[in-house]
Amino acid sequence: MLETEILKRGDDSGNGTLVKYTSSTGAVIKAIGVPQAWRSTLGPTWCYVIEGEDLTLVDPGCYGSLTYLEQGLERLGRSITDVSRIVVSHGHMDHDGSCPPVIRKSGAELWAHEMYAFMLQAERGDLERGWRREVSGFKAFENSETMTRAIEHRELNRDLVLNHPVTDEHQAGGLTFYYTPGHSPDELCILYDQVLFSGDHILPLITPHPSVAMSYNSYQATLPPAYNGGNEIYGLKALLTSLKRMAALEGDITVLPAHRAFHRGQFNPIGVERATEILEHHRDRCYELTEVMKKGPTDMASLTRNYFSNREVESHNFFLAFTEVMAHIELMQEAGDISTTVDPTSARTWTNGLGPDVLVSWAGTDLFSAFIDQL
Ligand SMILES: [Zn+2]
């Protein structure tokens, strides 16, 4: 268990809040609730500060939110120029967005999983758009403020140099790194003392959005050799496998997540058992989807609209809801519960099993459940 002390109170979701955590062994970690740079219901990204001989920053926070990080560090009596090491949990802009200016001002080393270097390549964007463009509602998603910023952010980050690429179970600087792909193909959980910085892999109150296995097909040819021999890094199967690994970590470990550590005026302390709750949430979601598929073969867009509420599939949200459903259907298909039929009159160009014009039929089985147990 960690002792928790609020050093500065911010708003009810933790924006602008500073926290000091002390472990039973006396290790101290400070946390800065760095707000997102635009209106968001997510709350801040929690950026963690470890002060030793060097100052290590786990995630510098959202693209466009540098001033909040600077203010936070100043209130801790430190400055951006003191940062000697940035550890990135994964290459999404609410986590690594401030890397370029922090590195410019401090000369800090950049540490991340070796797949992060692949994430930095701007060309990825075009590969990604291929199949996504086929999904109705992708335009709305691509034109949303979040995506416009993400594209800007990717351009700015492409010049970053990954000084210290890490792999699974790498140990250095008092940190142990665990490779936990699924939400993102470069996701890391980082163990320090009895604390696991979980990035977006394990979150309280909310669940990380799974990537889709389809992305592996888009990227396979361009992936580093160690990762292109079979998909273990994209999709729900990868996410659940990674959740199981973290749930199995031994010891009295406290999880410090990148979001929702504090929400509506309250801390939400979690341990690694939260990873099992998230896994069970996805198993439940598979069961819920079978309820909708009972009605007969359906295309995935209709399935998405029938499964989620109207608000959840509004404009740019639709694409996220669609890929959430797709991640589950992919897993159920691999488990043997789903068959697909392609509409022969369709002019669309999906090449791989699932697509917007593909009808999915449920076999009436729940092989996915045993499949999940065996991961
Ligand atoms: Zn995030």
Side-chain angles (χ1 to χ4, degrees):
M1 284 303 287
L2 292 180
E3 201 183 291
T4 304
E5 183 192 344
I6 295 186
L7 300 176
K8 177 185 172 276
R9 211 167 248 292
D11 76 10
D12 247 20
S13 59
N15 286 307
T17 299
L18 298 177
V19 183
K20 179 182 172 186
Y21 294 101
T22 310
S23 80
S24 54
T25 62
V28 173
I29 294 153
K30 291 171 184 163
I32 305 172
V34 174
Q36 308 305 325
W38 52 89
R39 200 197 299 267
S40 165
T41 53
L42 180 63
T45 300
W46 288 99
C47 303
Y48 294 101
V49 178
I50 305 169
E51 294 172 280
E53 263 172 56
D54 303 317
L55 191 155
T56 299
L57 187 59
V58 179
D59 284 347
C62 190
Y63 167 53
S65 294
L66 178 70
T67 50
Y68 301 114
L69 176 70
E70 277 182 312
Q71 285 163 9
L73 283 169
E74 268 161 34
R75 300 232 23 173
L76 295 177
R78 305 302 297 252
S79 127
I80 285 277
T81 54
D82 297 340
V83 179
S84 49
R85 179 193 298 144
I86 296 175
V87 178
V88 167
S89 68
H90 64 297
H92 288 171
M93 71 175 159
D94 55 326
H95 299 264
D96 72 338
S98 280
C99 279
V102 174
I103 290 170
R104 211 164 35 241
K105 290 182 182 201
S106 66
E109 280 187 358
L110 181 58
W111 292 33
H113 187 265
E114 61 179 357
M115 273 294 289
Y116 180 73
F118 169 75
M119 298 280 286
L120 293 176
Q121 292 167 24
E123 303 72 41
R124 261 181 75 247
D126 297 325
L127 290 171
E128 201 165 33
R129 242 163 259 131
W131 66 266
R132 289 167 191 240
R133 211 181 271 128
E134 302 281 318
V135 181
S136 66
F138 180 64
K139 262 247 129 8
F141 176 72
E142 204 176 27
N143 294 335
S144 66
E145 186 176 7
T146 311
M147 275 309 283
T148 313
R149 301 260 195 161
I151 291 162
E152 241 174 71
H153 156 255
R154 182 177 283 159
E155 275 307 310
L156 289 170
N157 271 25
R158 67 188 298 185
D159 294 330
L160 290 175
V161 176
L162 181 56
N163 310 103
H164 195 115
V166 307
T167 51
D168 191 38
E169 300 199 6
H170 178 83
Q171 295 186 332
L175 307 172
T176 303
F177 297 87
Y178 295 99
Y179 181 38
T180 54
H183 166 66
S184 177
D186 63 342
E187 183 93 43
L188 287 174
C189 287
I190 303 136
L191 189 66
Y192 170 69
D193 193 73
Q194 294 168 324
V195 170
L196 188 72
F197 301 110
S198 64
D200 279 357
H201 183 56
I202 308 172
L203 299 171
L205 307 179
I206 54 175
T207 58
H209 188 68
S211 57
V212 290
M214 180 70 86
S215 292
Y216 180 75
N217 300 318
S218 310
Y219 299 138
Q220 186 175 13
T222 58
L223 286 172
Y227 302 92
N228 71 6
N231 177 24
E232 290 177 2
I233 59 175
Y234 285 99
L236 186 57
K237 187 169 82 164
L239 178 64
L240 300 185
T241 305
S242 298
L243 285 169
K244 280 193 165 184
R245 280 194 68 207
M246 292 302 96
L249 285 184
E250 284 174 8
D252 179 22
I253 295 171
T254 302
V255 171
L256 289 182
H259 302 291
R260 298 290 170 102
F262 185 86
H263 186 61
R264 297 197 171 147
Q266 290 191 322
F267 284 99
N268 301 296
I270 51 169
V272 291
E273 71 285 347
R274 172 65 185 155
T276 305
E277 288 176 21
I278 296 171
L279 177 135
E280 292 305 330
H281 156 85
H282 289 292
R283 192 200 309 266
D284 290 347
R285 180 155 277 180
C286 287
Y287 276 113
E288 288 166 13
L289 284 165
T290 64
E291 284 299 315
V292 185
M293 287 188 291
K294 261 183 188 161
K295 295 169 191 152
T298 174
D299 65 274
M300 280 201 297
S302 307
L303 180 57
T304 303
R305 290 187 194 285
N306 288 329
Y307 176 69
F308 283 109
S309 69
N310 289 341
R311 186 182 51 80
E312 287 167 315
V313 297
E314 235 170 41
S315 64
H316 62 267
N317 290 333
F318 178 79
F319 182 74
L320 288 173
F322 181 92
T323 51
E324 176 83 25
V325 166
M326 183 165 162
H328 290 77
I329 297 295
E330 285 173 338
L331 181 131
M332 294 164 82
Q333 188 185 25
E334 191 173 345
D337 296 311
I338 300 279
S339 60
T340 55
T341 327
V342 182
D343 174 359
T345 62
S346 168
R348 284 194 162 141
T349 54
W350 285 66
T351 51
N352 201 294
L354 293 168
D357 56 344
V358 172
L359 291 180
V360 294
S361 311
W362 178 46
T365 52
D366 60 359
L367 298 170
F368 61 82
S369 192
F371 183 85
I372 290 170
D373 287 336
Q374 281 157 22
L375 290 176

